[in-house]
Amino acid sequence: MFNRTRCLQITAALASISLLAGCGLLSEDDGDEMKRIVVGTTSTPSTLDPAAAWDGSWELYRNVYQTLLAFPTGSSKPQPDAAQSCEFTDAASQAYRCTLRKGLKFSNGEPLDANAVKYSLDRIKTIGSNVGPKGLFGTLDKIETPDPLTVVFHLNTSDATFPYVLGSPAASLVAPKDYPADKVREGDKITGSGPYVLDSYKDGAEAVLTGNTSYTGFANRKNKAVTIRYFADSPKMIAALKAKEIDATYRGLSAPEITDLQNPASHALGVQVVENVGAEIRYLVFNPKDPQVAKLPVRQAIAQIVDRGALVSKVYQGTAEPLYSMVPKGVVGHKTPFYDKYGGADVAKARKILRDAGITTPIDLTFWYTTDRYGSSTADEFTELKRQLDESQLFRITLRSQPWKTFQTGYKNGEYPIFGRGWFPDFPDPDNFIAPFVGKENAVGTPYEPAEIVNDLLPKSRREGDRSAGVQEFEQAQKIFADDVRLLPLWQGKLYVAAREDIAGAERALDPQTVMQMWEFYRKTSW
């Protein structure tokens, strides 16, 4: 959920914004409670097993599991983590070899060797969860382990993006003894080799982490322990921050809450806000199983009516900007095909599209959204979308919502005609804003197989080791998205981390995948 030419500017922003500069680390003599950092989020994991999650669960995974490669702050391409080195061994980018660090162990004492790597990645395909990350490994043919420290990945086609997949939490490494080869591990335990060990977990409440003293990898852990607290809604999370019950927050802050946290009254309560450049996007998904949604003119009419400017202004108040492509600004190849094709919101044009197609209006449609994944502003966003479409008198919109776990199952089963999703990049590359949404099995659960993208544009772009060389292919893919309107981009957001004044490291806590690196937080010794 990559770019060798620094296609994203996220890392530069993270490095340059220093609103929470630190004064020093805790001493070894400080008490345990002073050492522990408490971070709040509205992004509760859907499962603890990485073979069955392609969502915000990665927030936890990055901190407790290890991957062969990873994205340290300041890097836009993957660097070694569990691996000592990795490289393509052929000109066609179809054979990728990794050499592991010596002496790696999982938290249960089991060795993290080549066989464990193969086991971890093979089980993703074997389990085949329809909400898991198997779609990211579509080019992986087989894995060989010539010796305990060497893993060779053979790909069924050229894929220069494969190292970036290995650097994402999709490729989290698990201990074979504790994770069944053919089914998801149940329960509230994690056996990993990452910067932290999971001491305890209460679904929907908290994850208690302690520094893994056996960890060997890229992360430079600046605290000894972290507790992640999960909130059903952001108002409770903000109240906890102001009451000093938590030290920092991430994910799910609404625009009014961000504005509130930035005002002098919140500063007086000891709260600071770090703003970062983001590649987070929101979009609508159209499911052609629905007889009305299956009609291209219906989808085009909705695209013609939606007023992104009004949506962003009313709901997000400067914390987001209109988006006219699935590839956001700041990513190589970004264009504005939806604006080029539809221009600004225009009800008259939408009416003509439907009239010319002989479609009777008003059209009754149901829009679905999740209540607890993207923050409290989601309900306001869909209320505004309903207002715009209802006022056109071309549509009658009914809104429905579900908690994330139920919602996720529903859209994967094709139950929703139109639904809202958010996307945080699996790795910072334009490929990751195109490829996950196409194919028979894709990230949104609605099969979409545009032949030109699947058979020509993506394969051609993936032969390019220099990721900027595939710009033309990505530009054409964006145009096809706008023509088909199977997805409708709405807005691109900024990223915010709010923290207590005695907490440092927030400006470095988000990696290029916008995943929280808990090890960057630390408590200042004094003011």
Side-chain angles (χ1 to χ4, degrees):
M1 221 70 80
F2 61 94
N3 175 8
R4 300 187 184 202
T5 57
R6 302 183 68 83
C7 64
L8 287 178
Q9 300 302 315
I10 295 175
T11 53
L14 291 172
S16 63
I17 299 173
S18 302
L19 297 181
L20 299 179
C23 301
L25 298 176
L26 288 165
S27 71
E28 292 297 318
D29 297 327
D30 289 325
D32 288 342
E33 289 306 311
M34 288 299 293
K35 295 174 186 175
R36 183 170 293 278
I37 306 293
V38 183
V39 179
T41 179
T42 59
S43 188
T44 303
S46 55
T47 174
L48 299 186
D49 190 330
W54 193 356
D55 58 24
S57 305
W58 285 13
E59 206 82 68
L60 177 61
Y61 298 171
R62 173 55 77 203
N63 293 278
V64 293
Y65 292 109
Q66 201 167 10
T67 47
L68 289 172
L69 302 167
F71 291 89
T73 299
S75 173
S76 59
K77 65 179 182 179
Q79 305 294 324
D81 186 10
Q84 178 177 299
S85 62
C86 292
E87 62 180 354
F88 279 108
T89 58
D90 65 332
S93 297
Q94 288 188 251
Y96 194 68
R97 178 188 296 268
C98 289
T99 301
L100 295 173
R101 298 177 189 266
K102 295 180 180 179
L104 294 177
K105 292 185 180 297
F106 292 104
S107 57
N108 66 353
E110 193 175 351
L112 197 174
D113 55 14
N115 287 331
V117 173
K118 175 176 168 57
Y119 184 92
S120 297
L121 301 186
D122 280 348
R123 68 188 294 269
I124 294 173
K125 285 194 171 184
T126 300
I127 293 171
S129 170
N130 65 354
V131 292
K134 63 179 180 179
L136 287 172
F137 295 92
T139 61
L140 178 58
D141 183 26
K142 63 179 180 179
I143 304 173
E144 292 182 339
T145 55
D147 62 64
L149 293 179
T150 304
V151 186
V152 181
F153 301 93
H154 295 280
L155 310 181
N156 52 35
T157 187
S158 299
D159 187 3
T161 73
F162 188 71
Y164 298 80
V165 175
L166 291 182
S168 75
S172 295
L173 304 176
V174 301
K177 290 182 180 178
D178 287 345
Y179 290 79
D182 58 356
K183 63 181 180 180
V184 174
R185 180 182 182 178
E186 303 292 343
D188 57 2
K189 305 295 183 184
I190 282 177
T191 312
S193 59
Y196 296 93
V197 174
L198 179 68
D199 288 338
S200 64
Y201 179 79
K202 295 179 181 178
D203 187 27
E206 67 176 16
V208 180
L209 313 180
T210 298
N212 180 4
T213 57
S214 299
Y215 168 74
T216 301
F218 81 96
N220 177 20
R221 197 177 62 251
K222 298 175 182 176
N223 60 62
K224 293 184 177 296
V226 172
T227 293
I228 305 173
R229 284 187 55 189
Y230 301 110
F231 292 84
D233 57 63
S234 53
K236 292 179 181 177
M237 182 170 67
I238 297 303
L241 179 67
K242 290 182 176 180
K244 300 183 180 181
E245 296 170 1
I246 61 177
D247 298 305
T249 67
Y250 177 55
R251 294 275 194 238
L253 299 178
S254 69
E257 288 164 345
I258 293 167
T259 301
D260 173 64
L261 291 173
Q262 290 173 326
N263 68 35
S266 292
H267 293 171
L269 292 174
V271 176
Q272 296 271 357
V273 178
V274 171
E275 176 184 309
N276 297 312
V277 176
E280 169 191 1
I281 67 172
R282 292 289 190 276
Y283 57 96
L284 294 178
V285 182
F286 295 92
N287 184 355
K289 287 184 178 180
D290 181 89
Q292 292 285 17
V293 176
K295 302 171 184 175
L296 176 59
V298 170
R299 304 196 300 270
Q300 290 177 326
I302 293 173
Q304 190 66 73
I305 292 170
V306 169
D307 187 338
R308 295 169 177 80
L311 177 67
V312 168
S313 175
K314 292 181 179 181
V315 179
Y316 292 102
Q317 303 171 23
T319 63
E321 58 183 311
L323 181 64
Y324 295 93
S325 170
M326 290 297 288
V327 178
K329 290 175 63 176
V331 176
V332 162
H334 164 76
K335 293 294 181 180
T336 57
F338 279 86
Y339 187 83
D340 299 340
K341 186 175 182 67
Y342 302 100
D346 193 320
V347 173
K349 288 183 179 179
R351 183 178 294 109
K352 185 177 186 304
I353 290 171
L354 296 173
R355 184 175 60 243
D356 290 350
I359 296 174
T360 302
T361 59
I363 302 166
D364 292 305
L365 292 172
T366 301
F367 281 37
W368 288 80
Y369 64 92
T370 180
T371 57
D372 58 352
R373 173 60 50 170
Y374 306 121
S376 59
S377 293
T378 305
D380 296 333
E381 175 179 334
F382 276 78
T383 298
E384 171 61 16
L385 289 172
K386 171 179 166 59
R387 183 196 67 78
Q388 293 180 14
L389 292 164
D390 284 352
E391 285 187 359
S392 75
Q393 299 184 2
L394 299 176
F395 294 92
R396 283 194 298 248
I397 306 300
T398 299
L399 298 182
R400 294 284 184 268
S401 61
Q402 291 281 8
W404 174 250
K405 288 186 178 181
T406 306
F407 177 81
Q408 186 182 43
T409 300
Y411 78 70
K412 281 291 186 178
N413 289 337
E415 297 173 6
Y416 308 148
I418 302 174
F419 57 95
R421 284 293 312 274
W423 187 252
F424 305 91
D426 301 319
F427 47 84
D429 184 89
D431 184 283
N432 196 234
F433 293 93
I434 302 292
F437 305 109
V438 299
K440 186 176 181 179
E441 296 180 349
N442 58 46
V444 294
T446 55
Y448 175 40
E449 301 177 83
E452 185 177 0
I453 295 178
V454 174
N455 300 328
D456 180 28
L457 299 176
L458 285 177
K460 185 176 180 181
S461 71
R462 288 174 173 177
R463 290 194 288 269
E464 299 290 350
D466 177 358
R467 299 306 298 154
S468 65
V471 168
Q472 290 184 339
E473 286 76 31
F474 291 120
E475 290 177 354
Q476 177 62 15
Q478 291 171 76
K479 183 179 181 300
I480 293 171
F481 275 5
D483 290 340
D484 292 348
V485 203
R486 288 289 302 275
L487 305 157
L488 184 64
L490 297 173
W491 56 266
Q492 173 179 354
K494 300 174 184 177
L495 297 175
Y496 296 87
V497 178
R500 303 293 311 173
E501 287 182 329
D502 64 335
I503 299 297
E507 74 282 358
R508 291 183 55 83
L510 300 180
D511 73 2
Q513 301 163 295
T514 70
V515 171
M516 183 70 80
Q517 302 176 139
M518 300 297 176
W519 57 83
E520 293 288 357
F521 287 116
Y522 60 94
R523 199 178 304 278
K524 300 174 184 178
T525 55
S526 62
W527 279 91

